[in-house]
Amino acid sequence: MVSFLDSDVGFVEAVTPGGSKWRGLLNRDMAESYEVPLEQFPVEAGVAGALAWSAAAGLTGDEGLVRRALTGSAVFAEELSALLFVALGIPGARLVASGEEG
């Protein structure tokens, strides 16, 4: 699940069928301007959790793209969520260009 704060920041939360949880933050630079405590969203834990989630779902995640989604910047956080879905190997996921509706 991704919850958005005014399209500026995305808060990611996921659980595997086995109950393992992970979370991440999209658009960290913008999140910092909202005073979101970045230390509560460690990048390495997010990358590891995302890849474990992807594997548990029978998908093939791309570590480099997951990392890019969790550390990148975009005008709209939705762009980074689209990148994350592609990175997780979710069937039918596609990148969304700035200003394009998903």
Side-chain angles (χ1 to χ4, degrees):
M1 175 184 80
V2 182
S3 300
F4 295 99
L5 175 60
D6 199 27
S7 288
D8 290 333
V9 179
F11 300 91
V12 181
E13 295 184 66
V15 180
T16 66
S20 296
K21 298 177 183 180
W22 72 275
R23 52 191 216 152
L25 186 63
L26 304 176
N27 232 6
R28 295 178 77 83
D29 290 342
M30 186 61 76
E32 193 168 34
S33 74
Y34 281 97
E35 298 182 10
V36 172
L38 300 183
E39 67 277 0
Q40 291 184 13
F41 300 91
V43 173
E44 293 308 315
V47 171
L51 294 173
W53 181 93
S54 182
L59 305 172
T60 302
D62 181 313
E63 182 176 352
L65 285 181
V66 169
R67 187 175 309 283
R68 193 167 118 203
L70 296 179
T71 61
S73 296
V75 173
F76 300 107
E78 289 86 351
E79 296 171 39
L80 295 172
S81 68
L83 175 60
L84 180 61
F85 297 155
V86 169
L88 293 171
I90 295 175
R94 65 182 183 88
L95 298 179
V96 177
S98 181
E100 177 185 346
E101 291 187 19

